[in-house]
């Protein structure tokens, strides 16, 4: 005869551990979806990478202004015909292949500089990010053999920036929105997009674009048109839905950018691990003796002559690169690691003469800085700018002593004729 023990009161209603786990995962997913759809995530981080990458590319274009024709133009050893043949095999997009005239090259180069300034200031950020991408791809795909690694990072990030809402803070767009001048009627924006659409229709009709890039660019045009129509004529639920879609796309792009940075460090670190010079700790010794990347030979040789410093820097570089993706789950450790990576790239920029590579990677590292730190830095910069504006030099006002009382800068001064 089998006996059954009485059920413990309240025990039957308790969920199983697997049910509690599934409920917890479901709640976390719901909170995550609500977070990425209701607001723009990481607005300060996206603003930092917008400013950093546009500033780096602008500085590179201005520095190479004198040598622009030798690098990307008609005087380049990699001729226009060779570039055209190469691009036909790899389907690389560049508007410089549309015509081989020197005038067209100069227009594209100046337009790339203008787009960099627009994106740096955050003026018409959606348009600026698209033009910035076109300018970066136009020049870099014209000559793939020019660059030091930093251009490759900007090449990839310029595409991702198009899908981010990187102008929500620290931009002229944000300032215009804060003053209530971000309504549906945007004459400048309409003119810019109408001109871009006309050019896109022309080059599409002439067969200058392949199918993939044509679909991408026309998709961006129609998305911008839909956004403008919703803001102009559907301010209720349609605008809410468009905002949610834009936030989701922005979140996805930011995730891809973060994953790209982690992939760069992981691949670089694991490739270094397989190298014999990195394994025995002597890799940096040989790097510091290369004439092409040692702008300060005395400093480089002084560091290379210390076996302990070379050993620590070599192993330290491998360790931080391999460990970087695994340190992002703890905020304190992540901040320390980001500071280490920024210092490492600053040292690379100085010792090896790779300033643009260093600036590009420092910008990529800044993506993982905490929001509170970025806000404090932005507030300090804003206060410093405000103080400089408040300090106005007193103008020299010419006057003649007439014996009358005049008022200068809020002060009454009695000016009398001298006794004769």
């Amino acid at each position: 005869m089998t006996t059954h023990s009485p059920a413990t009161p309240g025990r039957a209603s308790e969920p199983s551990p697997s049910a509690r786990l599934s409920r917890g995962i479901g709640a976390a997913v719901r909170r995550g979806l609500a977070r990425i759809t209701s607001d723009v995530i990481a607005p300060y981080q996206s603003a930092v990478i917008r400013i950093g990458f546009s500033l780096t590319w602008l500085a590179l274009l201005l520095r190479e202004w004198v040598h622009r024709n030798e690098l990307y133009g008609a005087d380049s050893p990699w001729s226009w015909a060779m570039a055209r043949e190469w691009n036909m095999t790899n389907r690389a997009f560049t508007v410089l292949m549309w015509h081989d005239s020197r005038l067209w090259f100069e227009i594209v180069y100046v337009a790339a500089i203008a787009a960099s300034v627009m994106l740096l200031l955050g003026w018409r950020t959606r348009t600026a990010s698209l033009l910035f991408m076109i300018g970066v791809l136009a020049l870099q795909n014209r000559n793939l053999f020019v660059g030091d690694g930093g251009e490759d990072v900007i090449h990839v990030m310029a595409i991702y920036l198009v899908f981010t809402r990187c102008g929500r803070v620290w931009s002229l767009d944000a300032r215009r929105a804060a003053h209530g001048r971000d309504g549906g009627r945007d004459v400048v924006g309409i003119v810019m997009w109408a001109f871009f659409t006309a050019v896109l229709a022309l080059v599409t009709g002439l067969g200058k674009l392949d199918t993939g890039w044509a679909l991408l660019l026309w998709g961006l045009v129609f998305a911008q048109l839909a956004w403008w129509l919703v803001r102009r004529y559907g301010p209720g639920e349609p605008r809410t839905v468009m905002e949610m879609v834009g936030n989701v796309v922005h979140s996805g792009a930011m995730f891809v950018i973060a994953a790209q940075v982690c992939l760069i460090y992981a691949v670089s670190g694991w490739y270094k691990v397989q190298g014999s010079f990195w394994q025995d700790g002597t890799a940096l010794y040989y790097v510091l003796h290369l004439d092409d990347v040692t702008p300060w030979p005395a400093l480089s040789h002084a560091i290379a002559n210390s076996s302990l410093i070379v050993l620590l820097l070599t192993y330290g570089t491998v360790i931080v690169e391999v460990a970087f993706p695994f340190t992002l789950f703890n905020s304190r450790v992540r901040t320390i690691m980001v500071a280490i990576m920024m210092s490492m790239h600053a040292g690379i920029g100085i010792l090896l003469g790779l300033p643009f590579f260093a600036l590009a990677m420092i910008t990529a590292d800044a993506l993982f800085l905490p929001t509170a730190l970025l806000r404090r830095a932005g507030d300090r910069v804003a206060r410093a700018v405000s103080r400089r504006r408040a300090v106005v030099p007193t103008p020299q006002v010419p006057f003649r002593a007439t014996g009358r009382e005049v008022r200068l800068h809020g002060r009454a001064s009695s000016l009398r004729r001298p006794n004769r």
Side-chain angles (χ1 to χ4, degrees):
M1 179 174 163
T2 304
T3 59
H4 298 278
S5 58
T8 304
R11 180 69 60 86
S13 61
E14 293 183 0
S16 63
S18 60
R20 289 197 298 269
L21 179 61
S22 62
R23 289 181 182 178
I25 295 175
V29 171
R30 287 192 297 271
R31 288 194 300 268
L33 290 176
R35 175 70 178 88
I36 65 176
T37 57
S38 61
D39 197 6
V40 177
I41 66 168
Y44 292 92
Q45 287 80 359
S46 62
V48 166
I49 61 176
R50 183 200 86 228
I51 295 171
F53 287 129
S54 59
L55 180 62
T56 303
W57 182 243
L58 175 63
L60 188 144
L61 293 180
L62 294 178
R63 182 208 176 196
E64 303 298 348
W65 174 265
V66 179
H67 309 288
R68 64 190 184 279
N69 281 292
E70 289 81 3
L71 295 176
Y72 309 108
D75 299 333
S76 174
W78 187 251
S79 66
W80 187 87
M82 297 169 65
R84 181 181 177 85
E85 183 178 357
W86 177 266
N87 289 359
M88 290 178 64
T89 60
N90 60 9
R91 296 293 183 179
F93 172 72
T94 169
V95 299
L96 288 178
M97 293 295 100
W98 293 354
H99 204 277
D100 61 348
S101 68
R102 185 180 294 269
L103 176 61
W104 175 241
F105 166 73
E106 297 292 347
I107 292 174
V108 172
Y109 199 93
V110 173
I113 294 176
S116 302
V117 175
M118 288 174 58
L119 191 62
L120 175 63
L121 299 177
W123 185 72
R124 314 290 171 178
T125 311
R126 288 193 184 94
T127 308
S129 61
L130 179 58
L131 297 178
F132 179 77
M133 178 194 72
I134 294 175
V136 170
L137 298 182
L139 294 174
Q140 292 192 8
N141 289 336
R142 168 62 177 83
N143 190 351
L144 297 176
F145 303 100
V146 176
D148 55 9
E151 288 87 343
D152 296 334
V153 177
I154 298 175
H155 187 114
V156 176
M157 297 303 179
I159 301 175
Y160 298 152
L161 279 175
V162 176
F163 301 95
T164 64
R165 309 184 75 174
C166 54
R168 300 305 291 268
V169 297
W170 297 342
S171 66
L172 295 180
D173 289 345
R175 183 179 180 182
R176 187 174 66 253
H179 288 80
R181 298 193 298 267
D182 194 27
R185 294 186 177 181
D186 183 7
V187 178
V188 177
I190 293 173
V191 171
M192 294 175 65
W193 278 96
F195 178 76
F196 177 80
T197 304
V199 174
L200 183 59
L202 177 62
V203 297
T204 303
L206 295 176
K208 299 293 186 179
L209 292 175
D210 60 10
T211 305
W213 281 102
L215 291 175
L216 174 63
L217 295 177
W218 278 111
L220 294 173
V221 168
F222 285 119
Q224 180 65 18
L225 176 61
W227 173 247
W228 181 84
L229 290 175
V230 167
R231 285 202 310 167
R232 186 72 177 89
Y233 299 106
E237 185 175 353
R239 178 163 183 170
T240 303
V241 174
M242 291 293 291
E243 286 280 358
M244 294 173 62
V245 172
N247 293 338
V248 171
V249 173
H250 166 85
S251 301
M254 292 297 292
F255 175 78
V256 172
I257 292 174
Q260 181 71 52
V261 177
C262 293
L263 184 63
I264 290 173
Y265 284 128
V267 172
S268 177
W270 285 109
Y271 267 98
K272 286 182 175 67
V273 168
Q274 302 175 36
S276 59
F277 291 145
W278 291 95
Q279 291 176 4
D280 58 25
T282 61
L284 287 185
Y285 173 84
Y286 300 102
V287 173
L288 293 174
H289 282 83
L290 295 176
D291 295 334
D292 294 337
V293 291
T294 52
W296 319 99
L299 178 60
S300 300
H301 294 168
I303 296 175
N305 289 334
S306 175
S307 302
L308 179 60
I309 294 178
V310 170
L311 183 68
L312 293 176
L313 291 177
T314 302
Y315 285 155
T317 301
V318 176
I319 291 172
V320 296
E321 287 186 346
V322 173
F324 181 81
F326 304 100
T327 62
L328 302 179
F329 301 100
N330 185 281
S331 59
R332 294 184 179 179
V333 177
R334 179 176 66 244
T335 304
I336 295 174
M337 182 61 72
V338 169
I340 293 174
M341 302 304 287
M342 287 183 171
S343 302
M344 181 184 74
H345 287 116
I348 291 174
I350 295 173
L351 287 178
L352 303 184
L354 302 173
F356 302 111
F357 170 77
L359 286 175
M361 292 309 302
I362 289 174
T363 301
D365 295 335
L367 174 66
F368 301 99
L369 289 175
T371 302
L373 178 62
L374 294 177
R375 293 186 64 176
R376 286 198 299 268
D379 293 340
R380 290 183 179 179
V381 172
R383 286 196 298 267
V385 172
S386 299
R387 284 196 297 266
R388 288 185 62 87
R389 289 181 177 178
V391 178
V392 179
T394 303
Q396 298 295 328
V397 180
F399 64 89
R400 297 179 60 187
T402 61
R404 294 179 300 175
E405 187 178 75
V406 297
R407 186 171 298 273
L408 296 176
H409 308 293
R411 293 184 180 181
S413 302
S414 179
L415 303 176
R416 303 184 181 277
R417 294 180 182 273
N419 297 327
R420 292 184 179 178

